[in-house]
Amino acid sequence: MQLLPVFLIAAGVLVMLQPRTKRWQARMNAYFRGNEQRVKQRANTFFLLGLAFMLAGFAYLFRLAG
């Protein structure tokens, strides 16, 4: 059970960094047909999702430590 916080933090970092890859950006540009506003909106959504995973991991780690 103590690996769950580490997994959540790692998953959060991975999800936050995903929109920065060239492959992801190329796929999103193709999907949204070059609409940069929609691509940026999707990247921000991924960032917030990753941040939520990280915060959940840190909260769970804090709970285990206390």
Side-chain angles (χ1 to χ4, degrees):
M1 273 313 253
Q2 293 176 352
L3 288 178
L4 184 61
V6 176
F7 172 75
L8 287 172
I9 293 169
V13 169
L14 182 67
V15 170
M16 288 172 78
L17 293 178
Q18 181 72 18
R20 302 202 188 284
T21 62
K22 287 183 182 179
R23 181 174 184 252
W24 188 91
Q25 288 177 356
R27 291 179 73 173
M28 286 297 112
N29 274 330
Y31 183 76
F32 291 120
R33 297 185 180 108
N35 188 345
E36 285 295 321
Q37 183 180 6
R38 295 289 306 269
V39 173
K40 191 173 183 177
Q41 186 180 25
R42 182 65 57 97
N44 288 340
T45 302
F46 269 69
F47 182 83
L48 290 175
L49 182 65
L51 185 64
F53 269 87
M54 283 184 61
L55 290 176
F58 283 125
Y60 194 57
L61 237 159
F62 182 73
R63 176 91 174 177
L64 285 176

